[in-house]
Amino acid sequence: MSFEAAIHAQAIEVGKLSLEMTAAAGSGHPTTSLSIAHLVTVLMFDTMRWSPDYPDYPTSDRLVLSEGHAVPAVYAAAAKLGVMIGKDPDNRRKLTTDDLNSLRELNSELDGHPNPMEGFPFFDAATGSLGQGLSVAAGLGEAARLDGFDKRIYCIIGDGESREGQVAEALDYIAERKLTNVLPIFNCNDFGQAGRVSDQQSAERIAKKLEAFGFEVLVVDGHGPDAIKAAFTVFAERQGQADAVPMAIVANTIKGWGCPSIQGGGWHGKVPSGEALTRALGELDERRVELTSALNANDVFEIQPPADAPARTEQTAELPSLSDTMRKMDMETVLHAGRLATRKAYGIALRALGRINDDVVVLDADVSNSTFAETFAKQSDLADRFFECKIAEQNMVSVAAGMSAGGKVPFCSTFSKFFARAYDQIEMAINSGANLKLVGSHSGITLAADGPSQMSLPDVAWFHSWTTMKDHRGNPGCYLLQPADAFAAYALTGVMAEYEGVCYMRTLRAETEFLYSDDQVFNLGGFEVLNEGRDVVLCAAGYMVHEANKAIELLDAAGVSATLVDLYSLPFDTDKLLDIISENNGYVISLEDNYGGGIGSAIADALVESGDGFTLEQMHVRHIPKSARTPDELLASCKLSAQDIVDQAMSVLQVV
Amino acid sequence: MSFEAAIHAQAIEVGKLSLEMTAAAGSGHPTTSLSIAHLVTVLMFDTMRWSPDYPDYPTSDRLVLSEGHAVPAVYAAAAKLGVMIGKDPDNRRKLTTDDLNSLRELNSELDGHPNPMEGFPFFDAATGSLGQGLSVAAGLGEAARLDGFDKRIYCIIGDGESREGQVAEALDYIAERKLTNVLPIFNCNDFGQAGRVSDQQSAERIAKKLEAFGFEVLVVDGHGPDAIKAAFTVFAERQGQADAVPMAIVANTIKGWGCPSIQGGGWHGKVPSGEALTRALGELDERRVELTSALNANDVFEIQPPADAPARTEQTAELPSLSDTMRKMDMETVLHAGRLATRKAYGIALRALGRINDDVVVLDADVSNSTFAETFAKQSDLADRFFECKIAEQNMVSVAAGMSAGGKVPFCSTFSKFFARAYDQIEMAINSGANLKLVGSHSGITLAADGPSQMSLPDVAWFHSWTTMKDHRGNPGCYLLQPADAFAAYALTGVMAEYEGVCYMRTLRAETEFLYSDDQVFNLGGFEVLNEGRDVVLCAAGYMVHEANKAIELLDAAGVSATLVDLYSLPFDTDKLLDIISENNGYVISLEDNYGGGIGSAIADALVESGDGFTLEQMHVRHIPKSARTPDELLASCKLSAQDIVDQAMSVLQVV
């Protein structure tokens, strides 16, 4: 068959459909779509081993469209191939070219940017916030390698997009991990949104950089079917070569390929309509006449199916108790000492989890000896499921999202503070329906000596926001967990592994006393009453539970009977908490080692909805903290010491 | 003089003091400090043109320590030189070597990581969260170039740290902008925290990458005084060469230089004490004997002073009215049409501001035609104060922080959603006392068609947190501004320019009707009552004010008299708002086009502190939104339409 003619014919169809569907939607990026029309056509019609009937089949080759705004090209190709779509896996239908006109409609599976959760399972992750796709592809590559799947992951990245530092992080990661099953394809169409792409992102410069990062680079004509296929073949043939280094493709393309009337600057994200649309479609028809003369009737593509996927083995074993696990680790003395940092309990839990759940993988950002992810990493039988991501948090989170799409249960750890570098990546993972566990250590001010550049302070407020809405499964966008002792941290790590969705757990640097035992049950959405009083409720989490405990004793001595609630989860059972507050005359004080907007505000949200006359005093960090030698000094300087809590309680109760 | 011997003598002193002060503090990073001891000594004792008496003198050469944990080396050198310290510029004192033992104490100016706001004005910005310093240095370089200062900015970056993608963003920026007054110095000591530095960050690999990015690279022995000085001389001599490309230094160093007993892995962030300390100090003494024999008594350093700084001209002109400015721009018709998107009013304000305030600079991330920063950029007399940062938000924010340290008033704009990529950079800027204005466009769900990958949804909650605490000046960490119309957006842009501190303003994609006029005064911390009723208060901001206006009419028709508050600022005057709510029987409904934790929670915080029986219903986005063709469709799907507001009001008032 004439491969060139056949690809051109399909690519031109893809381009025309992209123009038509964006015109119908009244918005979108047809010119970017035209720049990747040939790359997408060769991949989906010829190169990828996959099945339009099972677009998310586990062993299928994958396409990650990092420059998500170019998605009309993929929708168009998918329609031509009758790819199955639909939110409900058991109730999917074939996408038709007619469906394309529903692009960006409220009830359409064809969202403005790629998102598997809206009913287009061909994709593994939501993209559109730029620079994240290559990291997701790396995660898919790692998962495939762990599963022993001969699976190839193709990722299309825009030239302007590659200015995002996360792309450099992903390239370093792929090169270091020798992920030869991942192929970065840079779409160099030379135009960004506001202007031309910088010379720093020119095709030549990108190729130079890729070589410096350790990649073998092929520069191709992104609209030349044979050239594209040849490059993909080189990539495929390198699979399994022991000494192979990762490879990348730099594709020279034209934004608005085939349509001179909409090329060049000023056409990014612009949709031709009326005469301009007719002209552009006409220009593509002319290109067809030119380029497809060699086409003959029996030039049809046969898509290679993926290999059969092995049946998934259910992970059913029970997590042993913390005490049993510590005994196995010869930590009897610590167990008897009765003090252990929650970050260390997290590490112990990871190690136990790794042994009962083959899907659990652990990622860290060069601080595994601080987060104690090293407790997992240092086990020879688990080491191959530990991924050292180095100091690159954005890449770590998106790689984990990719691993999740590959069926893994990723735990990511770094300092809580540094997860803030990946909030956008976390949001895109939530939008993708990822099954992600984020565990930040050194939370809040009790880190003390290192100062505010290492302290997580507005983090609780941001995650609080994710507890006020629902994800695609109807669960909170994220559960925020703040264990106060080792038993809680251990148990909640197990709970996170059982749950499908995103969780964020804050652990502490400081050693803290045991408050619970092996028998204590912890639930997402739960809380625990540690002391039953009648005058005022203290709601605390994490380190502040211990400070509250000290305050309870002082208050008791002063004749005040305080209730202590360990609010270890956001969201929590608000009705149950309101009852407890009512039983304490409506007086409540919240205690946080972070800035406001966190659990105090969450309690306030619940109280004012009730309309009863409750009184809440929020105690939290109210100025930028600095270094101090000890947690106690810092707590006192932030007016969060046990004595400050007592004084606040006395003033709330108007006890003079 | 024997330069080699003299530098070694001082560097060894710096190393010993670093060991002693971290031992006194009981924490810190002496081995990293030792790895930069020679680099810091050559810079501070010989190369930099500065004055220990005026460490923040405007024309002084600057040192940005990106790997902030190595700060003991700088503190030690500063003590030897008697650098002035103190929070109050009018009341500073010379740092002494005795002071060094106060490192990390609660009341010490010597914080765990660099921070000018804690009393060490030698630094321009807080560092310690890795990967940000080179961007700050680039901002200082831009400011110096604008001011015509012959000023050199040196930046020390760790090898492991350079894995952060932001470093690649900064390198692209420096190369593209040809900032030959900025010198990146990579400290390659080959050890990270959890293990060895990746081969991707080896000295050789970093040098290769730098060349690929367009830098001229010198690889030097980071402990060889003559080699270091020679490299700095090459850098200095390139100043002013028209054709010069930026230069970078890769310094091969030893973590724990001079102290074999604390070298290699396992010593990151570890502090030798007792015998280990004595041994390490002894090892350094031995090195002194070896390396300083050529030293003679009159080997003293003379620090070159900075050039005289010109007197700053006060910016006193008044911002003209929006109407006047629009008339000047031939926008009469728009003015009469009575509708203008807040993002466009922002652009118009920037243009007017640029003309009355020479310090105003504008940065954007390849979306200036969406944020309308282009209205400033396209003026030939302002173009040199516009900085196209391309798609790299982390670098943009840190560059702006650097410009602020250089005396500029930077406005940064991109989509609100994409500022989330730079939250950690924003936090470090707040900690630095930066004077930064962040303006995010396409806020909330009314962006509609593009879907959630472009919508800012948890952003209000994060910035709400910054309104619950105070910065070093005693102001809110950040003001959150949500103008509802063009007059508000224009005026608030002017207000932000007058204020010294960090502000975040959300603008909208959609065209919105005028609600105000030129005479309306807007204040940080203020709000406006748009309709006085008696039954219930609707608190809205931005787009939701317009939806609330529609609801008011429907409620009025139903015999309900609602009050409408335009809560355009967080924080706001809580007492004043509580009075208004009291006058409306304690019923209030908050309206947000984002997830919860935002203005609704801020109102809840205020209500529950009062202890009165108020009832607040929060209306906000409660699930992950998707694409829709129009804002109205999306508002309806999120239950935020005017009719939904009416229904909510009726149920709050229990009107059946």
Side-chain angles (χ1 to χ4, degrees), chain A residues 228-272:
Chain A
I228 296 169
K229 176 164 185 159
F232 291 156
T233 306
V234 172
F235 169 67
E237 283 167 352
R238 298 157 55 86
Q239 299 301 309
Q241 286 176 21
D243 58 344
V245 299
M247 175 180 147
I249 290 176
V250 173
N252 285 296
T253 64
I254 295 163
K255 198 160 180 172
W257 179 87
C259 310
S261 62
I262 54 171
Q263 288 171 6
W267 275 101
H268 176 96
K270 295 253 169 46
V271 172

Side-chain angles (χ1 to χ4, degrees), chain A residues 328-361:
Chain A
K328 274 206 210 77
M329 295 168 68
D330 302 320
M331 293 180 72
E332 290 273 2
T333 47
V334 178
L335 205 50
H336 293 125
R339 293 168 60 80
L340 184 67
T342 52
R343 58 183 176 139
K344 294 176 181 170
Y346 163 67
I348 295 167
L350 283 182
R351 173 183 145 134
L353 266 178
R355 299 254 158 84
I356 63 164
N357 186 335
D358 303 338
D359 292 334
V360 167
V361 293

Side-chain angles (χ1 to χ4, degrees), chain A residues 101 112 130 163-165 169 172 193 196 200 209 212 370 390 393 417 421 424 450 465 596 627 629, chain B residues 101 112-113 130 164-165 169 172 176 193 196 205 209 370 390 393 417 421 424 465 596 627 629:
Chain A
N101 292 326
L130 296 173
R163 182 75 166 242
E164 285 286 3
E169 294 178 0
D172 269 337
Q193 176 179 321
R196 265 200 125 80
Q200 292 298 117
K209 287 178 178 174
S370 288
K390 299 296 181 183
E393 298 77 12
K417 168 69 155 62
R421 311 191 63 132
D424 192 49
D450 284 308
S465 190
S627 294
R629 295 268 175 102
Chain B
N101 291 327
H113 290 76
L130 296 174
E164 285 286 4
E169 294 178 1
D172 269 337
E176 179 174 357
Q193 176 179 323
R196 265 199 125 81
R205 179 71 71 184
K209 288 178 179 174
S370 287
K390 298 296 180 182
E393 297 77 12
K417 168 70 154 62
R421 309 190 66 129
D424 192 49
S465 190
S627 294
R629 296 267 175 101

Side-chain angles (χ1 to χ4, degrees), chain A residues 430-601:
Chain A
I430 294 170
N431 291 353
S432 305
N435 185 20
L436 199 57
K437 322 302 167 185
L438 309 162
V439 180
S441 70
H442 296 61
S443 304
I445 57 171
T446 55
L447 166 58
D450 284 308
S453 71
Q454 320 289 302
M455 296 172 178
S456 60
L457 297 163
D459 61 323
V460 179
W462 193 76
F463 284 99
H464 167 216
S465 190
W466 289 103
T467 67
T468 66
M469 45 69 71
K470 297 279 188 283
D471 67 13
H472 292 96
R473 297 185 186 92
N475 301 318
C478 182
Y479 278 100
L480 166 61
L481 304 170
Q482 299 196 67
D485 87 341
F487 287 96
Y490 182 90
L492 286 169
T493 304
V495 169
M496 286 195 286
E498 298 275 311
Y499 170 75
E500 185 175 16
V502 180
C503 303
Y504 172 69
M505 185 167 85
R506 290 176 109 220
T507 64
L508 301 163
R509 180 181 194 283
E511 299 289 321
T512 46
E513 278 173 24
F514 293 159
L515 301 171
Y516 297 106
S517 69
D518 291 320
D519 323 324
Q520 181 68 44
V521 177
F522 295 88
N523 300 311
L524 300 179
F527 61 77
E528 196 59 33
V529 178
L530 287 175
N531 192 67
E532 281 197 42
R534 52 180 190 285
D535 300 331
V536 59
V537 182
L538 305 183
C539 287
Y543 194 97
M544 295 311 295
V545 172
H546 298 272
E547 213 57 31
N549 254 331
K550 291 186 214 157
I552 295 263
E553 286 180 28
L554 297 170
L555 284 166
D556 190 56
V560 173
S561 158
T563 298
L564 174 54
V565 173
D566 175 5
L567 211 60
Y568 62 78
S569 168
L570 270 193
F572 50 81
D573 181 334
T574 51
D575 295 343
K576 199 171 137 204
L577 183 66
L578 261 54
D579 291 343
I580 293 168
I581 295 170
S582 302
E583 292 156 11
N584 286 258
N585 311 319
Y587 291 119
V588 55
I589 296 172
S590 62
L591 306 168
E592 301 182 78
D593 60 5
N594 44 266
Y595 296 147
I599 65 176
S601 289

Side-chain angles (χ1 to χ4, degrees), chain A residues 388-447:
Chain A
E388 175 53 74
C389 298
K390 299 296 181 183
I391 308 173
E393 298 77 12
Q394 297 188 320
N395 179 67
M396 174 174 71
V397 168
S398 300
V399 164
M403 288 179 171
S404 158
K408 303 304 171 190
V409 182
F411 283 77
C412 289
S413 49
T414 181
F415 284 23
S416 308
K417 168 69 155 62
F418 304 139
F419 273 118
R421 311 191 63 132
Y423 279 0
D424 192 49
Q425 288 73 12
I426 292 169
E427 175 165 6
M428 293 304 290
I430 294 170
N431 291 353
S432 305
N435 185 20
L436 199 57
K437 322 302 167 185
L438 309 162
V439 180
S441 70
H442 296 61
S443 304
I445 57 171
T446 55
L447 166 58

